[in-house]
């Protein structure tokens, strides 16, 4: 297989946990689960930091002086939260622009002022300023050009800090929330800014949260925290999406906060050579439209006969909506509808810097879904970086970087259309008075061909060129690829060790599903097997092996050393690859508790053994491919049942050919 795009500019250390398609462990969804509010992992970071593969302590090279950016900012929105500012309480202000510009955001009141110059994102670009105790009366928020660009104001907004909060509105009965605004390009920009700020962390961190509500309850990350002023994010509501749920939950939460319309469909998974399709479209205003001429039974949260009870706030109903109605409807087939399908929740985008923005969804052809969280530009020392977050069946949310070993892509009609997609905005239907999704012809960034017309290689080349538009150093490309492989292997150590602990616990043998269900199921197999992770690891091994050949295939894409032919550069890269594989080591814990060292070269050499190393009923030594009769394997005393071994042999071709079977 060919190598990762562009220096594999956005290499990843983290992959799917466990068996991990988008299946859900329903036993973990209860609103009553006593999940404590945990501190989010990782502090907010300067978005210019990047660990180099050559020097882990090296900062992303953005220290060189550059000319000020004084162009036009495009549309600018200034947004304040909470919706009704209260004197003496915190107020957050966000300024969002379409285009990059050097500016600062200031908040001025009668007795206090703050200013923030740090610019996030790109595109859109945004600034966030906060007043810990808003002064009573009129306050003014201003986004102004930097002094080097003249200091002129780009946008201004006044807001008033009142003496007290308003009484919470009565939640609507059958509607999920009250719609009071319409989606606009400016609010789409704000949505992107919110998603990015929610998950920002240093690039060398590995941020992970046990549930989405951990992030939403973090007032330092969530600038919509208690936006409605009724302590709505302090009600202990559990929000624990899997990967298919995550984009929907994020979009719905944002829409709920701002009173925007939100829609969703039930979608098929696709089968018998037919791509998934979507049907039974519903909205936050009309969540239970008639189906086949009959009205569906309403769940408790939407039953108009239910007594609201004292103190009930809309967010508790939102939590029930997430846990039941939306979680039951959302599944990964929604991300794989045909590119030209108008009746879908997502639509495929043309690949541009503007479309690969936070909030954009990536659906892989085999059922996994991620949400773009941030994009960082290329620097003289590093390629561009695209970061995304995904949910796991147990509700964990973690961040990953884009590269070929992690974001799988294929073009097969039976699998539907994978790739980068965005939610269709909802608009008022003049004929019915309800809401409808914009159709493909109404969407400026829609494209049914851009991601697909160059084949799989063309897709990765386009993303590579977009993330890193200038020439890449071949050696740095190789080192970043090997770094990705190493981090991927080390992440697997944790997953396999969870399986070791499972075996040591003396539980019953984990049942092995049949066929493609090994990639998506529930129970102990879901929690402790690693077929999805191992398949991606095998892909990553191929990517690392193929990087030297990729450089030789696309010499115009790289800063080739003067006087050297592509073949000569390839030979040097092959030698450096071998050096790196032999020099990078890690350790895993054997069945008896002892530690055993391996190199990346060992892992690469054991690729064939890793084709059947995902079964949690096997000892940890077998799952790392220890040769039979070796000292390493001497501590192994657990093996999968014979019928499971036979199944794995039947399914070996999927791993050997680096492909997941269609459903």
């Amino acid at each position: 297989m060919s190598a990762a795009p562009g220096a594999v500019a956005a290499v990843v250390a983290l992959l799917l946990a466990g068996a991990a398609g988008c299946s859900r462990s329903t036993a973990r969804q209860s609103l009553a689960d006593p999940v404590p509010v945990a501190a989010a992992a990782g502090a907010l970071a300067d978005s210019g930091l990047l660990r180099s593969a050559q020097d882990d302590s090296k900062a992303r090279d953005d220290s060189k002086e550059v000319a000020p950016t004084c162009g036009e900012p495009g549309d600018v929105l200034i947004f304040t939260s909470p919706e009704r500012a209260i004197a003496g309480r915190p107020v957050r202000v966000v300024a969002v622009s379409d285009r990059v510009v050097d500016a600062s955001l200031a908040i001025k009141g009668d007795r206090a002022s703050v200013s923030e110059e740090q610019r996030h994102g790109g595109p859109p670009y945004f600034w966030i300023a906060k007043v810990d105790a808003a002064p009573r009366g009129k306050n003014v928020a201003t986004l102004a050009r930097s002094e080097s660009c003249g200091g002129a104001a780009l946008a201004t907004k006044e807001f008033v800090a009142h003496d007290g909060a308003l009484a919470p509105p009565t939640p609507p009965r059958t509607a999920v929330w009250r719609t009071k605004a319409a989606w606009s390009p400016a609010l789409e920009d704000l949505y992107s800014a919110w998603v990015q700020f929610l998950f920002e962390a240093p690039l060398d961190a590995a941020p992970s949260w046990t549930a989405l509500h951990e992030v939403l309850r973090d007032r330092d990350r969530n600038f919509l925290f208690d936006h409605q002023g009724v302590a709505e994010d302090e009600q202990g509501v559990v929000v624990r999406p899997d990967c298919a749920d995550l984009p929907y939950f994020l979009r719905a939460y944002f829409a709920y906060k701002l009173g925007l319309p939100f829609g969703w469909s039930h979608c098929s998974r696709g089968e018998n050579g037919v791509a998934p399709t979507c049907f039974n479209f519903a909205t936050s205003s009309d969540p239970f439209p008639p189906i086949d001429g009959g009205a569906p039974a309403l769940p408790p949260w939407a039953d108009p006969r239910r007594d609201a009870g004292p103190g009930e706030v809309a967010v508790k109903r939102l939590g029930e909506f997430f846990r039941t109605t939306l979680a039951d409807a959302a599944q990964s087939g929604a991300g794989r509808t045909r590119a030209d399908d108008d009746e879908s929740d997502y639509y495929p985008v043309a690949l541009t810097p503007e479309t690969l923005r936070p909030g954009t969804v990536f659906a892989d052809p085999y059922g996994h879904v991620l949400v773009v969280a941030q994009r960082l530009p290329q620097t003289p020392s590093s390629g561009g970086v695209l970061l995304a977050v995904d949910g796991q069946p147990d509700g964990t949310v973690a961040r990953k970087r884009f590269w070929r070993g992690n974001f799988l892509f294929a073009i097969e009609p039976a699998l539907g259309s994978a790739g980068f997609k965005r939610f269709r905005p909802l608009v008022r239907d003049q004929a019915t008075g309800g809401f409808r999704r914009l159709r493909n012809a109404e969407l400026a960034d829609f494209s049914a061909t851009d991601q697909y017309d160059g084949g799989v290689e063309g897709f990765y080349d386009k993303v590579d060129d977009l993330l890193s538009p200038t020439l890449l150093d071949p050696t740095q490309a190789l080192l970043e690829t090997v770094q990705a492989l190493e981090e991927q292997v080390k992440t697997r150590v944790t997953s396999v060790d969870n399986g070791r602990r499972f075996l040591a616990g003396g539980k019953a043998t984990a049942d092995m599903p049949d066929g493609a269900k090994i990639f998506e199921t529930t129970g102990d197999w879901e929690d402790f097997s690693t077929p999805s992770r191992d398949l991606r690891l095998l892909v990553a091994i191929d990517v690392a092996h193929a990087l030297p050949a990729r450089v030789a295939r696309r010499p115009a894409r790289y800063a080739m050393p003067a006087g050297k032919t592509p073949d000569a550069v390839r030979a040097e890269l092959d030698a450096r690859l071998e050096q790196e594989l032999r020099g990078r080591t890690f350790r895993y814990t054997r069945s008896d508790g002892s530690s055993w060292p391996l190199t990346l070269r060992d892992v690469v050499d054991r690729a064939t053994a890793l084709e059947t190393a995902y079964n949690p009923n096997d000892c940890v030594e077998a799952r790392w491919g220890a040769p039979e009769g070796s000292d390493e394997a001497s501590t192994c005393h657990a093996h999968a049942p014979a019928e499971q071994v036979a199944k794995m042999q039947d399914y070996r071709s999927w791993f050997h050919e680096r492909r997941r079977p269609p459903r």
Side-chain angles (χ1 to χ4, degrees), residues 70-239:
C70 303
E72 290 303 315
D75 292 336
V76 177
L77 169 72
I78 295 184
F79 172 82
T80 60
S81 183
E83 188 174 20
R84 176 184 169 90
I86 304 300
R89 296 185 185 178
V91 172
R92 302 169 293 271
V93 178
V94 184
V96 190
S97 68
D98 283 336
R99 302 187 186 95
V100 63
V101 63
D102 288 343
S104 62
L105 175 62
I107 308 172
K108 294 184 178 180
D110 291 339
R111 296 183 300 279
S113 65
V114 297
S115 181
E116 179 58 62
E117 295 183 357
Q118 183 183 7
R119 183 182 64 225
H120 303 256
Y125 302 87
F126 63 99
W127 299 254
I128 295 183
K130 178 183 176 182
V131 176
D132 290 327
R136 180 181 290 102
K138 186 174 73 173
N139 296 265
V140 180
T142 302
L143 182 69
R145 293 185 184 276
S146 63
E147 291 301 321
S148 60
C149 292
L154 294 170
T156 299
K157 179 179 180 178
E158 294 184 356
F159 64 93
V160 175
H162 301 274
D163 284 330
L166 296 175
T170 302
R173 276 317 199 179
T174 55
V176 190
W177 59 79
R178 299 187 189 280
T179 302
K180 55 187 179 183
W183 285 98
S184 66
L187 289 179
E188 291 286 358
D189 286 348
L190 184 68
Y191 177 64
S192 293
W194 175 71
V195 171
Q196 172 166 331
F197 200 66
L198 205 59
F199 299 108
E200 271 190 341
L203 267 175
D204 59 356
S208 177
W209 300 267
T210 60
L212 180 60
H213 59 251
E214 285 189 13
V215 195
L216 299 178
R217 296 175 189 174
D218 186 342
R219 65 183 72 225
D220 292 328
R221 287 183 172 276
N222 181 9
F223 63 66
L224 294 178
F225 183 88
D226 285 354
H227 175 72
Q228 296 180 351
V230 292
E232 67 270 18
D233 289 303
E234 302 172 67
Q235 304 300 313
V237 173
V238 171
V239 184

Side-chain angles (χ1 to χ4, degrees), residues 16 19-24 241-249 264-271 274-279 326-338 341 344-347 361-371 390-393 408 414-421 423 452 516 519-521 532 536 660-663:
L16 299 177
C22 283
S23 53
R24 176 183 299 104
D242 66 12
C243 75
D245 297 337
L246 182 62
Y248 283 95
F249 282 24
W264 68 95
S265 301
H266 291 76
C267 303
S268 69
R269 294 186 181 275
E271 57 185 355
V274 178
T277 57
C278 295
F279 44 90
L326 190 55
D328 290 343
Q331 54 93 359
S332 60
R336 296 182 291 107
T337 56
R338 281 187 356 190
D341 190 340
S344 56
D345 294 340
Y346 306 126
Y347 66 94
V361 171
F362 181 85
D364 86 12
Y366 307 112
H368 197 60
V369 183
L370 304 96
V371 180
D390 65 356
Q392 297 299 323
L408 301 186
L415 300 175
S417 298
F420 290 102
K421 301 188 176 185
F423 274 100
Y452 314 105
F519 295 101
E520 46 186 53
T521 188
S532 290
R536 284 168 167 77
R660 273 182 60 167
R663 291 178 178 82

Side-chain angles (χ1 to χ4, degrees), residues 352-424:
T352 70
E354 289 71 30
T355 57
L356 293 192
R357 57 167 55 208
T360 295
V361 171
F362 181 85
D364 86 12
Y366 307 112
H368 197 60
V369 183
L370 304 96
V371 180
V372 174
Q374 189 174 2
R375 186 166 64 84
L376 300 178
Q378 182 181 13
T379 73
S381 63
S382 302
V385 178
L386 188 69
L387 300 167
V389 289
D390 65 356
Q392 297 299 323
D394 65 357
T396 301
V397 175
R399 194 183 72 179
K400 299 167 173 62
R401 305 183 203 180
F402 178 93
W403 79 301
R404 186 168 184 160
N406 193 29
F407 283 55
L408 301 186
F409 186 79
I411 300 177
E412 297 181 30
L415 300 175
S417 298
F420 290 102
K421 301 188 176 185
R422 295 183 66 189
F423 274 100
R424 295 179 184 274

Side-chain angles (χ1 to χ4, degrees), residues 450-461:
D450 192 49
Q451 298 184 56
Y452 314 105
D453 58 5
V456 173
E457 295 298 325
F459 170 81
Y460 287 114
D461 286 348

